[in-house]
Amino acid sequence: MSKLQIKSFEEYQQKYSQSVENPEKFWEEIAEEFYWQKKWDSVLEWNFDEPKIEWFKGAKLNITENALDRHLEKRGDKLALIWEPNDPKQRFVRYTYRELYEQVCQFANALKAKGIQKGDRVCIYMPMIPELTIAVLACARIGAIHSVIFAGFSATSVADRVNDAQAKMVITADGLNRGAKQIPLKRLIDEALEHCTSVESVIVFDCLGWMPTMTENRDYWWHDAISGQSKSCPAEQMDAEDMLFILYTSGSTGKPKGVVHTCGGYMVYTAYTFQNVYQYQESDVYWCTADIGWITGHSYIVYGPLLSGATTVMFEGIPTYPDPGRFWQIIDKHNVNQFLTAPTAIRSLMAFGDEHVLSYSLDSLKVLGTVGEPINEEAWKWYYLHVGKERCSIADNWWQTETGGIMISGLGNISPMKPSYAGYPIPGIQPVLLDQEGKEIADNETEGYLCIKFPWPSILRTTWGDHERCKLTYFSHYKGYYFTGDAAKRDENGMYRLLGRVDDVINVSGHRFGTAEIENAINTNGHVIESAVVGYPHPVKGQSIYAFVVLDSSVEDQDMAKGEIVETVVAEIGKIALPEKIQFVSGLPKTRSGKIMRRILRKIAEGDVSNLGDTSTLLDPLVVEEIVENAL
Ligand code: WTA
């Protein structure tokens, strides 16, 4: 597609070596492919001690000129965005690059008219509708720092984030559709704002026609705000290291931290990884099912694809509404070529049976992505067989909110695949495995703490308002390294497999296991839909294993199922990895992004249920009560 794209595995190996030998030259050549109002004075200045990391220092740009303006000449009439509504009976909506550009400019002018300036923080709490993308880009257009808050968070969580960011404006909607449910966003914002003093105005998009209460001199309708505004808006000149956005993510302390990304490096890295991991070709249609409330949506629905001139699909709904074939129906409807979803979604769809996927042709598909958590072998194989029909490559994307873009992954159809292995690092990424003492392990066929020893353009720069926290969380565990918090395994060929968070590593009688490894084993049992494993203190073994398991509804004899699970774990890993306790549960406590809240399970396993922390943001808070009640 462009000069950025690697075409073969040999070329990947070459580029990888070049990127390690001379990272500055490597990234400079890639950066040359973008539009800069002024080029950089230096490519990279860094130290991981403070930490202070500056890419393309002195350069001036606006990321929206690269995501929109730059395409107008050649791709003005190309589709930039296809929006698929929650309800399949409702019409879908399409925007060409020119239309998207005009909408972004017009809304950017509306923001300015409400007094928003470069550097102001704007929180966005919206449904998965095109206006969310428009709002994000409009902020970037005028240099306001966007902070998208996933529209499933409670009013309290919104207030925490708005206050931490000291946001001047909130952009929201009356409500949203999610499957058969509707959520009153504006009401939640009103509740949140009772505890916030920094917000001067709220812009409300009329999504459902609900006519919510509007506070005078604070709340404005989106349609009124844009009325009469021009459809062109000069792009604010930004320094490469000016902040582009803040995105809050959970830390170990429970207080969310605002991960900060900056304009230049984030632009270069998200576009580069998008084009290589997805091997996007000019006429392809690409779809990522994530929510823009999470980093995946930022980097791989909005910025990466639009910076690359791609057609990106945005979906308002959920995988199971109106039926569990919805994803596959959308793929056939829009002839999607590249598809990115999460293992949780794959596993939940697996549980509904194969017939929902088998009735769709899916023959447009080329690359299937998975992201967000380790994918177990069984889900990988199901995805490969039933969705990819054994023709598509699977790209398992390992990365983090903090890394801004994909770090370890297969590249479309050009790299070797191995079930449940993310694969090789993206050029420019230098992963290392460290042992207990923090020493680099040079050999293959090993495992350790996953760290990165050299900066890449979209590494986080700080945590908003608390640089010390950034330093302590990521740069202090092992001096001179960025610490990911994940453990990984490297096979004899240098491919990486993620084993889960290090805080999820269980040490049983001196033998270390990744929770994911044990879960993988348990999940190979045909009756198991999902499982989560945690460690709990054991007087003799140090730690022992507690498994929370969701069985499919066909299981009648739970004792027999338990016996079978024990057998599979013994067969897959060995007796030493046997869960001492297996509790059958109807569901696992998950964040709304689908991540299992192990912290809660660990406490339950430890018998310490007096303070489970805030469970209100979970997908299904009731599940916790059930688990506590039946705890072993
Ligand atoms: C986990 C999501 C295994 C990992 C992009 C990481 C994964 C955390 C994968 C970051 C993957 C993400 N395989 N584990 N492909 N992708 N993780 O910030 O533990 O929401 O540290 O970013 O998710 O989650 P975050």
Side-chain angles (χ1 to χ4, degrees):
M1 180 196 182
S2 77
K3 281 206 262 172
L4 304 189
Q5 214 163 45
I6 296 167
K7 303 270 175 353
S8 66
F9 192 61
E10 293 65 45
E11 191 186 345
Y12 159 78
Q13 288 171 315
Q14 259 169 24
K15 291 271 186 229
Y16 188 80
S17 310
Q18 288 166 9
S19 78
V20 174
E21 279 153 26
N22 194 340
E24 297 190 23
K25 179 161 177 284
F26 176 80
W27 287 113
E28 182 161 41
E29 273 174 28
I30 292 168
E32 294 284 354
E33 295 295 304
F34 294 81
Y35 171 68
W36 304 84
Q37 294 169 5
K38 174 188 171 286
K39 291 272 171 75
W40 43 92
D41 302 320
S42 68
V43 176
L44 171 64
E45 287 178 25
W46 69 289
N47 75 71
F48 275 174
D49 297 329
E50 293 175 64
K52 191 168 170 67
I53 302 145
E54 294 169 298
W55 281 94
F56 312 114
K57 196 175 173 179
K60 303 286 180 195
L61 77 153
N62 186 291
I63 196 167
T64 69
E65 286 188 312
N66 284 276
L68 298 169
D69 311 43
R70 187 166 61 123
H71 303 309
L72 293 181
E73 198 184 322
K74 260 183 39 204
R75 302 190 180 101
D77 297 323
K78 177 177 173 173
L79 289 182
L81 185 68
I82 300 175
W83 177 72
E84 177 65 30
N86 179 59
D87 179 354
K89 292 200 273 311
Q90 197 186 327
R91 271 194 66 76
F92 62 95
V93 179
R94 303 187 288 190
Y95 291 79
T96 63
Y97 269 93
R98 180 162 294 103
E99 287 163 344
L100 187 61
Y101 162 83
E102 288 176 353
Q103 298 286 319
V104 168
C105 285
Q106 190 176 40
F107 192 62
N109 285 322
L111 294 178
K112 285 206 279 196
K114 293 278 175 279
I116 299 300
Q117 294 173 351
K118 178 174 175 176
D120 287 342
R121 274 81 58 211
V122 174
C123 284
I124 305 177
Y125 185 65
M126 289 190 84
M128 276 291 285
I129 53 175
E131 286 71 18
L132 167 52
T133 300
I134 291 166
V136 162
L137 294 170
C139 288
R141 186 79 177 175
I142 62 170
I145 300 168
H146 56 77
S147 182
V148 183
I149 303 172
F150 176 62
F153 276 120
S154 65
T156 316
S157 310
V158 172
D160 286 347
R161 288 160 174 75
V162 167
N163 283 331
D164 191 80
Q166 285 294 290
K168 197 165 162 188
M169 177 189 268
V170 172
I171 305 171
T172 189
D174 48 353
L176 66 71
N177 290 306
R178 187 171 287 144
K181 286 196 211 122
Q182 294 181 317
I183 300 176
L185 295 182
K186 175 60 167 59
R187 211 176 71 202
L188 291 162
I189 287 295
D190 287 342
E191 224 176 283
L193 294 191
E194 282 172 23
H195 311 280
C196 307
T197 53
S198 60
V199 174
E200 291 170 12
S201 52
V202 178
I203 295 187
V204 186
F205 184 78
D206 183 7
C207 189
L208 304 177
W210 275 1
M211 301 305 286
T213 328
M214 299 288 276
T215 303
E216 212 172 329
N217 295 325
R218 189 196 73 181
D219 301 351
Y220 306 91
W221 286 108
W222 177 294
H223 51 262
D224 291 336
I226 59 171
S227 146
Q229 295 295 347
S230 156
K231 290 183 175 171
S232 73
C233 171
E236 185 75 32
Q237 184 172 82
M238 304 296 282
D239 193 276
E241 281 299 329
D242 278 340
M243 288 185 195
L244 175 62
F245 66 85
I246 304 171
L247 185 58
Y248 285 88
T249 185
S250 313
S252 44
T253 63
K255 181 185 177 302
K257 51 185 173 235
V259 169
V260 171
H261 285 290
T262 57
C263 297
Y266 180 81
M267 169 177 82
V268 169
Y269 196 74
T270 52
Y272 180 72
T273 47
F274 170 74
Q275 290 175 37
N276 282 299
V277 170
Y278 286 92
Q279 290 290 306
Y280 184 86
Q281 304 301 311
E282 186 63 48
S283 58
D284 286 347
V285 173
Y286 158 89
W287 177 25
C288 164
T289 70
D291 193 288
I292 295 176
W294 312 116
I295 191 68
T296 304
H298 282 63
S299 302
Y300 299 109
I301 295 177
V302 181
Y303 287 111
L306 295 177
L307 286 164
S308 307
T311 300
T312 180
V313 177
M314 196 178 160
F315 175 43
E316 184 185 28
I318 57 168
T320 48
Y321 180 83
D323 63 61
R326 184 67 166 129
F327 272 2
W328 323 126
Q329 182 246 336
I330 295 173
I331 290 172
D332 277 0
K333 177 173 174 183
H334 297 294
N335 287 309
V336 171
N337 303 105
Q338 292 91 2
F339 176 68
L340 168 57
T341 195
T344 299
I346 298 169
R347 286 194 296 263
S348 83
L349 294 176
M350 267 169 76
F352 284 98
D354 301 344
E355 65 273 18
H356 296 284
V357 62
L358 294 181
S359 51
Y360 294 95
S361 94
L362 306 181
D363 55 12
S364 54
L365 286 173
K366 297 190 279 194
V367 181
L368 299 175
T370 154
V371 66
E373 47 179 321
I375 182 164
N376 49 306
E377 240 177 280
E378 218 198 335
W380 194 101
K381 286 184 174 153
W382 187 86
Y383 200 29
Y384 183 69
L385 185 67
H386 293 302
V387 182
K389 317 284 187 202
E390 297 179 273
R391 294 183 289 102
C392 299
S393 27
I394 295 204
D396 180 356
N397 308 163
W398 173 79
W399 58 297
Q400 312 177 297
T401 303
E402 295 85 345
T403 69
I406 299 166
M407 302 286 281
I408 299 179
S409 174
L411 308 180
N413 55 352
I414 67 180
S415 6
M417 289 188 284
K418 184 167 170 182
S420 75
Y421 275 73
Y424 293 105
I426 299 291
I429 304 307
Q430 300 186 32
V432 292
L433 296 179
L434 302 187
D435 66 16
Q436 298 275 16
E437 277 78 51
K439 281 210 203 62
E440 274 185 40
I441 312 171
D443 305 333
N444 282 346
E445 289 193 83
T446 187
E447 60 184 71
Y449 301 124
L450 179 62
C451 289
I452 315 287
K453 71 169 177 189
F454 196 85
W456 61 100
S458 64
I459 186 173
L460 88 160
R461 301 301 197 267
T462 187
T463 43
W464 175 260
D466 191 354
H467 192 65
E468 191 62 18
R469 186 166 180 200
C470 172
K471 177 178 172 169
L472 287 176
T473 313
Y474 308 106
F475 299 94
S476 302
H477 289 264
Y478 304 106
K479 207 172 150 39
Y481 298 94
Y482 165 82
F483 176 49
T484 65
D486 280 318
K489 190 171 184 165
R490 191 164 54 214
D491 76 2
E492 66 280 12
N493 300 312
M495 289 177 99
Y496 286 88
R497 174 182 189 160
L498 277 296
L499 299 173
R501 302 291 300 194
V502 172
D503 28 22
D504 297 331
V505 168
I506 308 175
N507 190 329
V508 186
S509 306
H511 302 285
R512 284 181 42 193
F513 301 103
T515 49
E517 206 179 342
I518 301 168
E519 287 158 13
N520 260 345
I522 294 175
N523 295 351
T524 54
N525 182 292
H527 292 301
V528 173
I529 290 178
E530 217 174 6
S531 62
V533 159
V534 297
Y536 69 99
H538 188 280
V540 182
K541 303 174 181 172
Q543 271 189 309
S544 198
I545 297 165
Y546 195 126
F548 298 87
V549 178
V550 183
L551 291 176
D552 71 23
S553 50
S554 68
V555 177
E556 277 165 19
D557 187 341
Q558 293 205 340
D559 283 341
M560 208 160 99
K562 226 175 241 186
E564 276 182 24
I565 290 171
V566 166
E567 266 171 38
T568 23
V569 175
V570 173
E572 292 280 319
I573 309 176
K575 249 191 170 148
I576 41 175
L578 265 191
E580 188 126 326
K581 294 182 179 177
I582 299 176
Q583 180 182 349
F584 295 123
V585 297
S586 66
L588 298 169
K590 287 186 183 170
T591 63
R592 308 218 174 168
S593 62
K595 244 188 264 315
I596 297 167
M597 289 293 286
R598 288 165 201 289
R599 186 175 52 77
I600 292 176
L601 292 176
R602 255 194 309 268
K603 288 217 161 186
I604 297 174
E606 286 165 16
D608 171 19
V609 294
S610 57
N611 176 22
L612 290 179
D614 180 16
T615 56
S616 65
T617 59
L618 294 180
L619 205 54
D620 177 8
L622 291 182
V623 99
V624 176
E625 287 173 30
E626 177 216 289
I627 299 176
V628 170
E629 226 166 69
N630 302 324
L632 302 170

